[in-house]
Amino acid sequence: MLELRNVFDNDGMHLEARRLYARLLLEHGRAQEAYGQYLRLVEQYPDLVDVRRQLAELAVDAGNWEEARRHGEAAIALDPEHPAHRALKALLDYQAARQAGDDVTAGEAAERARALLDDHPDLDVALRVLVDWHGSGPEPARALPHLERLLALHPDSLGLQMARVQMLFTLDRQDELGQQLHAMHAQFPENPEVVAMVIRWHLLRDDMAGAEAFLRMRAGADDADPERHLEVVELLRRSGGPAAAQAELERLAAANEATDRARIYALRAAQLRFDAGQRHPAMEAVADVVAHAQEDDLANEARISLARMYSAEGDVPAAQALVDDVLASDETNVEGLILRAAWQIRADAFGPAITDLRLALDQAPRRTDILRLLAEAQKMLGNIELAEQRLAQAVEISNSAPREALAYARFQIERGAHEAAMRVLTEALRTSGDLQVATLLAQTLLVTGDTVAAGDLLERLAQSGQPEAEKLARAMQAELLLRENRVDESLALVAAEAAQAEDGQGAAELSTEVQLLRILMSAGRFEQASDKLAQMREAFPEATFLRLLEANLKAIEGKNEEAVTIYRALLEDAPDEVIPVQRLHALLTELGRRDEAAETLAATLERHPEARSLRVLHALDLEHDGQAEAAIEIYQALYAEEPGDIVIANNLASMLSTHSDEAADLERAYMIAQRLNGSQVPAYLDTLGWVQLRKGEVDSAVLNLQAAARGLPRVASIAFNLALAYAEAGRTAEARAELARGFELAGDDQAVPQFARAQALRDELGG
């Protein structure tokens, strides 16, 4: 190969040298590099029919159908009667038909492939057609002989081995499946996916001993590479809990006494102890590893672990000092860069955070946690498209894993882009079956009113065989019926579930009873709901939350004083409960009894000064009462604690830009509001537009405020903001019209935000 590269230095167009070089790369399993060499050949010599065929077959292997079609059609045009090209034509026709859902045409292409095999039994592409055709049909076992023939032709093909695994799984040939997986491990011992499949096979058979024996075999002697021994530890943790893992780590540490291997195990053991609540002994053990580790990498790993522990204990300065030490000795340390970036994001230092995360991504380009943090930083800066790209990249790298799909979907839902969220959730559910994904998808479908897709999801969940998924399906079906105003059918469905609840399953029975009550309340059947609630309180006297439901019901019925009485009684019995305070505060505020609401809130806040939900209510009260500085102070503290809370970010940016003329405050409001770019939520667009107007970005402000006014046409403050933007843009007639609409909505309520500014503008415009 070295000699061939020398040929290229002298003659880059040498046909036979490049053909041989590509073939050697292919024989060494370097298919991607071989593809590049073959591609260069056809660029230089477009009519090389064998190279076109090779490129098409490599593209088929890679699943790149666009390239497979491009080179396959070129090969067919050059020599249409060649058996391999007729097989390629059958494959391309078959793939197009399958994609179009045309089983008749697909079957015809499969028949052509079968006929070719009569005379050419080793025709690779024709075999692939029949493997897929039979494998996806009613008799998948018919695909197996063709797959076996392909494996005989390509014994080193991991893809074909995986296909055989899937086939044996489909046919439920468990013993053969186990043999296949262990043979694959012998052939591909370093492939993590194969290792994971072997373990999963043992676990699905409840063969924990077999899984442990397999991993111990891989791990070797006690003084061998710790990485594989840690796989055994993780299995023991999953099967026997932290104590079993701890015992194995201590055994391995003793077997490797006074070495860095022992310290690696001591570090993992300390992390387990920390998670179990033995925090100070764990931190002392990690500090000991830092002090005595011989290898810098291990010392830095221990520093990172200790930094996380300090951070969890609330001592962020100590944690940051440790991370600074790590990055001083290794400026590309991935974990150190991630930790520092996370702190920078919390401190609104988004530029430095992005720099650190990009450097970390250079070292670990497939780390989805880095991509998620990058997305968060870009979102905070208002780079919504970049944030979306990073989250989409994480979804792609993880093959739509639940965590990444949920992060992407929540990002889209937050912006009001429900269609994008549903697409990624649907794919994630298809590949993982994860219940969290299913739940969010169900909620999103119901919110958007897509009853057809919701029905499809419901059927899939109902047939999954998972009890929790079936429970979600029943709840979803009841909700669908209720939304279609089929109240009695919805009630009957939930009642049937309640009737089937077995003895001793009180929690499950109560859950279905609560769902029945919710349906009655949603349907406005208050008398039936009241009767149902009385029955529930008698059947479940210990369920104190039923009193909360009773108060809610009274409030919905308009029996406000009775609701207030129940809420107050709940607070007397359980003064530390937050939810009754929230409900009582909301009801009293709605009734115009704001002083009582404030007193109730203040009393609970005195006992729970850190309760986030109550502090938000307090800030809103202060905002309503015109105490802007006090409200801003609370929002600042809430934002510092959770910079990712978009509601708090919106409120803080709005308050700063509305109630302050300080350049620093306006700059901060502008920075915070950038994350609202691209949102479809009218309230967020209102804040973004107003901040842009204060910063002189008039055209952008008008567009965002117009969208906000269309989304919330009955909010006077948004009308006032839009009028101010029109005036700034020189659109006087529109400003007058919007002002008139705003004052009509506001009436005489001068507490409406921007009322004074709107009055001043009206005087200025003479309207």
Side-chain angles (χ1 to χ4, degrees), residues 400-446:
S400 299
R403 182 175 57 180
E404 285 68 29
L406 287 166
Y408 179 87
R410 287 171 181 142
F411 169 83
Q412 298 291 13
I413 290 168
E414 190 177 84
R415 300 171 58 227
H418 292 95
E419 289 293 332
M422 289 188 289
R423 281 196 298 272
V424 78
L425 288 171
T426 300
E427 177 61 18
L429 184 60
R430 185 187 69 79
T431 57
S432 71
D434 183 81
L435 195 59
Q436 272 190 288
V437 171
T439 301
L440 185 57
L441 178 57
Q443 292 167 350
T444 310
L445 290 169
L446 291 172

Side-chain angles (χ1 to χ4, degrees), residues 586-604:
L587 181 56
L588 290 170
T589 301
E590 185 181 333
L591 295 173
R593 294 152 63 177
R594 301 191 65 88
D595 289 343
E596 289 181 61
E599 288 172 11
T600 302
L601 183 61
T604 310

Side-chain angles (χ1 to χ4, degrees), residues 499-519:
Q500 292 172 3
E502 299 178 7
D503 293 340
Q505 288 190 327
E509 186 182 351
L510 179 57
S511 173
T512 54
E513 291 288 325
V514 169
Q515 192 178 359
L516 278 170
L517 178 64
R518 189 181 66 80
I519 293 169

